[in-house]
């Protein structure tokens, strides 16, 4: 089958990576991914959907991210390889489930890169120059705006071309700036204007009901923002001590980001001029091109507006650089799973950078930029694709505990048997909250990648005179739960409550109970479907060889 490679070949490719990233660098990577364009636009979009209750949406988003991140922290520490997030489903369930999870994850991450470039250009459109206004028409980037965003894409990839050490040094400095500016922004806006009447009036705390709070979690950019927790996991192959540094980096970055995002949301809610709310008929009528900068100008904080315009380049660019790095490692992981040509598994020996994968992602980023020219449209697609990719983590972590109990687990949470199903339920709820027809559209995008899988698993073996069906059968059986999950969730989204875009065939309240029950049912089906497939056996052999090599090195006489 194409899902296996020689151990020596894979070890050789990974030997070219540099294990130079410590806990601080990995935390900066996670926090730098989380604090990108989301903080520039997320507060307004969440408020437009949920009103003041957007504060609760950020907390719910953090809880969802934390539970899912805990499952991936155990997996990342077990398999400290580049592109880790695209591998775990392959290890636990074989090629079909592994490929679907990898495809969803890659779509979610690679589309963030043009999203960050779009955010920078959209903020620039508020500059008081005619050429700047011509970059954005109020809904999407113009041709000139797309051209400028393309220049930023090239910059992101250029910064990753030479060495991981250059990326790490640059990113840590940028992350410090990215943390300081949001904190300063929240503090300055609260000091300038803090109108609690914005909460008391305009429909109260939940002007659009609690269903809007859940929708805000899914589509306002909140999932987009917290999704950055996985960046340290995708750089696991370059972590010095992954068993300790990965979980610390992942959890710390989410908690720090939660505090910052809640502070920004509160500041935004209280700083919106009452006249704007009255003129726009409440929160849903808000329409700022550069939300936080526009508020800074409204309250005479011109220095803050200038700082925000500068940070509109720094924050998204820092995140774009990180995702350019992590997505190239993901492509390497997909290639080693057996679903891309061998050239995308090559890592430059001198720099430790997978340059062919980096170039492929640049091309794909250009395609996304050409099709989705607005931050909001990209945020919606990214958020739902991200949730789909999340569901393999809770299933994979408990599956591997069942089928490979002897694997060394540097991170092993006692409460994981409870955390994992809860994470699956959270992921299923967020997917449903994304609203029909968006959920259906993204699930359809998942199907677009299946011909690539079919070529490598069926077409290519047939052209070589082999009959793949017998070998493929257990992969299909093990991955059936994920295919069924996507189809049934799409059907529930279509038939569900009208407050979530459905037809209303499933009554309000009952729909959420149905989603919870389905999440648990598919979780248990998924865990029971796992099997000791060739990819897992190979990974176990590699980990054993690495452990033996380290042991031999420790026992060797000094100076030998």
């Amino acid at each position: 089958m194409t899902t296996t490679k020689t151990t020596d070949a894979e070890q050789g490719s990974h030997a070219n990576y540099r294990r130079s990233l410590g806990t601080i660098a990995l935390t900066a990577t996670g926090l730098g991914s989380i604090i990108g364009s989301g903080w520039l636009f997320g507060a307004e979009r969440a408020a437009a959907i949920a009103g003041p209750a957007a504060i609760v949406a950020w907390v719910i988003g953090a809880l969802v991210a934390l539970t899912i991140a805990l499952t991936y922290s155990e997996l990342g520490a077990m398999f400290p390889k580049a592109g880790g997030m695209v591998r775990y489903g392959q290890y636990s369930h074989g090629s079909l489930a592994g490929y679907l999870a990898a495809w969803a994850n890659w779509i979610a991450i690679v589309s963030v890169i043009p999203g960050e470039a779009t955010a920078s250009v959209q903020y620039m459109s508020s500059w008081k120059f005619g050429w700047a206004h011509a970059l954005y028409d109020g809904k999407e980037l113009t041709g000139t705006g797309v051209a400028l965003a393309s220049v930023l894409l090239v910059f992101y990839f250029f910064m990753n071309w030479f060495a991981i050490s250059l990326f790490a040094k640059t990113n840590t400095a940028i992350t410090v700036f990215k943390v300081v500016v949001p904190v300063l922004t929240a503090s300055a806006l609260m000091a300038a204007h803090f109108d609690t009447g914005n909460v008391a009036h305009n429909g109260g705390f939940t002007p659009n009901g609690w269903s809007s709070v859940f929708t805000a979690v899914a589509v306002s950019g909140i999932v987009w923002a917290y999704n950055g927790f996985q960046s340290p996991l995708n750089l696991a192959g370059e972590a010095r001590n992954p068993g300790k540094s990965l979980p610390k980096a992942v959890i710390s970055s989410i908690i720090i980001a939660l505090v910052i995002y809640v502070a920004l949301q509160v500041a935004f809610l209280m700083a919106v001029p009452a006249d704007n709310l009255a003129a726009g008929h409440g929160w849903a009528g808000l329409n700022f091109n550069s939300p936080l900068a526009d508020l800074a100008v409204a309250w005479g904080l011109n220095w803050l507006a200038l700082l925000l315009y500068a940070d509109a380049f720094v924050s998204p660019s820092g995140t774009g650089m990180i995702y350019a790095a992590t997505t190239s490692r993901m492509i390497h992981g997909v290639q080693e799973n057996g679903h891309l040509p061998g050239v995308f598994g090559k890592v430059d020996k001198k720099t430790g950078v997978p340059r062919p994968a980096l170039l492929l992602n640049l091309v794909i980023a250009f395609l996304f930029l050409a099709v989705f020219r607005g931050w909001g449209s990209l945020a919606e697609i990214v958020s739902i694709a991200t949730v789909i990719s999340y569901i393999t983590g809770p299933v994979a972590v408990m599956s591997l505990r069942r089928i490979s109990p002897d694997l060394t687990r540097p991170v092993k949470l006692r409460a994981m048997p409870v955390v994992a199903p809860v994470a699956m339920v959270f992921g299923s709820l967020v997917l449903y909250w994304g609203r029909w027809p968006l959920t259906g559209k993204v699930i359809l995008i998942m199907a677009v990648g299946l011909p690539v899988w079919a070529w490598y698993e069926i077409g290519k073996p047939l052209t070589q005179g082999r009959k793949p069906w017998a070998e493929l059968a257990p992969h299909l059986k093990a991955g059936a739960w994920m295919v069924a999950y996507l189809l049934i969730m799409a059907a529930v989204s279509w038939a569900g409550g009208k407050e979530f875009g459905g037809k209303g065939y499933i009554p309000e309240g009952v729909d959420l109970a149905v989603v919870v029950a389905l999440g648990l049912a598919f979780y248990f089906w998924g865990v029971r479907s796992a099997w000791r497939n060739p990819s897992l056996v190979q990974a176990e052999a590699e980990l054993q060889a690495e452990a033996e090599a380290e042991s031999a090195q420790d026992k060797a006489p000094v100076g030998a």
Side-chain angles (χ1 to χ4, degrees):
M1 290 293 292
T2 57
T3 51
T4 61
K5 293 182 64 178
T6 63
T7 300
D8 291 341
E10 185 164 351
Q11 285 180 332
S13 68
H14 283 269
N16 293 330
Y17 283 118
R18 307 286 184 265
R19 288 198 176 274
S20 57
L21 302 181
T23 301
I24 294 177
L26 289 168
T27 302
T29 299
L31 191 57
S33 296
I34 293 173
I35 302 178
S37 59
W39 82 272
L40 295 168
F41 293 97
E44 185 206 24
R45 284 186 61 83
I49 295 172
I55 298 169
V56 180
W58 285 103
V59 176
I60 293 174
L63 290 174
V64 172
L66 272 172
T67 56
I68 293 172
L70 287 173
T71 68
Y72 279 110
S73 294
E74 178 171 321
L75 293 167
M78 286 169 62
F79 304 105
K81 289 189 174 186
M85 291 284 286
V86 303
R87 297 173 180 271
Y88 310 137
Q90 180 97 7
Y91 292 152
S92 61
H93 289 81
S95 69
L96 179 56
Y99 179 81
L100 286 172
W103 175 258
N105 195 255
W106 178 63
I107 289 294
I109 299 302
V110 75
S111 54
V112 169
I113 304 170
E116 300 304 311
T118 299
S120 291
V121 176
Q122 189 170 326
Y123 246 73
M124 188 191 296
S125 69
S126 291
W127 290 5
K128 295 182 178 180
F129 301 102
W131 62 268
H133 295 321
L135 298 173
Y136 182 71
D137 65 8
K139 293 183 178 180
E140 61 180 26
L141 300 186
T142 62
T144 307
V146 170
L148 183 55
S150 298
V151 173
L152 289 176
L153 290 182
V154 173
F155 172 73
Y156 301 162
F157 285 83
F158 177 79
M159 291 301 294
N160 278 279
W161 186 259
F162 295 104
I164 186 64
S165 57
L166 173 63
F167 158 79
K169 292 175 182 178
T170 306
N171 176 62
T172 300
I174 290 175
T175 299
V176 171
F177 184 75
K178 289 169 67 173
V179 171
V180 170
V181 174
V183 171
L184 184 61
T185 299
S187 302
L189 287 176
M190 288 182 188
H193 190 78
F194 199 84
D195 186 357
T196 56
N198 287 351
V199 176
H201 306 129
N202 307 295
F205 188 69
T206 55
N208 300 315
W210 282 102
S211 64
S212 67
V213 178
F214 302 139
T215 297
V217 174
V219 302
S220 70
I222 292 176
V223 170
W224 165 306
Y226 287 124
N227 186 39
F229 79 77
Q230 65 174 280
S231 288
L233 299 173
N234 284 322
L235 293 174
E238 289 133 292
R240 282 199 297 268
N241 187 353
K244 293 182 178 180
S245 59
L246 285 177
K248 288 181 180 178
V250 168
I251 295 171
S252 297
S253 61
I254 292 174
I255 293 174
I256 294 171
L258 169 62
V259 174
I260 293 173
Y261 276 125
V262 168
L264 282 166
Q265 186 67 68
V266 171
F268 177 86
L269 292 167
M270 305 307 174
V272 173
D275 292 345
N276 285 50
L277 291 171
H281 304 291
W283 297 102
L286 295 179
N287 187 26
F288 295 114
N289 284 352
S290 310
L292 297 173
D294 290 346
L295 289 180
V297 172
W299 300 114
L301 302 174
N302 293 327
W303 63 270
L304 179 60
L306 292 174
L307 183 61
L308 285 166
Y309 288 137
D311 191 68
F313 276 101
V314 176
S315 285
S317 294
T319 301
M321 286 165 49
I322 293 170
Y323 279 86
T326 58
T327 50
S328 63
R329 276 67 177 175
M330 292 167 69
I331 286 294
H332 186 179
V334 172
Q335 186 277 323
E336 287 187 341
N337 285 348
H339 299 129
L340 281 176
V343 65
F344 296 113
K346 292 184 178 180
V347 180
D348 185 76
K349 293 182 179 180
K350 293 183 179 179
T351 62
V353 175
R355 287 179 168 176
L358 201 63
L359 286 171
L360 174 62
N361 281 325
L362 177 58
V363 173
I364 301 301
F366 279 133
L367 291 176
F368 268 99
L369 183 61
V371 177
F372 303 101
R373 298 185 174 191
W375 187 89
S377 59
L378 271 167
E380 291 179 350
I381 296 293
V382 170
S383 297
I384 301 303
T386 296
V387 173
I388 292 174
S389 70
Y390 279 169
I391 65 171
T392 54
V395 174
V397 70
M398 292 308 298
S399 295
L400 290 168
R401 284 194 180 189
R402 183 177 69 83
I403 63 176
S404 189
D406 296 329
L407 263 177
T408 300
R409 289 169 169 79
V411 176
K412 187 174 183 180
L413 189 66
R414 290 184 180 180
M416 189 61 74
V418 175
V419 171
V422 169
M424 181 70 171
V425 167
F426 279 170
S428 301
L429 285 170
V430 175
L431 177 59
Y432 179 70
W433 296 338
R435 297 176 61 86
W436 182 267
L438 179 61
T439 50
K441 290 178 180 178
V442 179
I443 288 173
L444 181 62
I445 291 175
M446 297 302 100
V448 171
L450 284 175
V452 176
W453 173 85
W455 164 250
Y456 280 98
E457 298 295 339
I458 301 173
K460 188 175 181 180
L462 288 174
T463 62
Q464 296 170 344
R466 295 187 288 124
K467 297 180 179 180
W469 307 111
E471 293 181 46
L472 190 59
H475 294 267
L476 295 174
K477 182 179 179 181
W481 73 271
M482 191 167 183
V483 176
Y485 174 85
L486 293 175
L487 293 174
I488 291 177
M489 285 299 297
V492 170
S493 181
W494 171 80
K498 292 182 178 180
E499 69 275 19
F500 295 111
K503 296 294 184 179
Y505 298 141
I506 305 176
E508 181 179 351
V510 175
D511 56 347
L512 297 182
V514 169
V515 172
V516 170
L518 286 173
L520 290 173
F522 278 102
Y523 166 79
F524 290 111
W525 180 6
V527 171
R528 296 306 304 172
S529 296
W531 66 298
R532 292 185 53 78
N533 64 83
S535 294
L536 175 60
V537 173
Q538 177 179 311
E540 289 174 334
E542 291 170 6
L543 292 172
Q544 180 64 29
E546 290 173 8
E548 292 175 355
E550 290 178 3
S551 178
Q553 186 176 5
D554 292 339
K555 293 178 181 179
V558 177

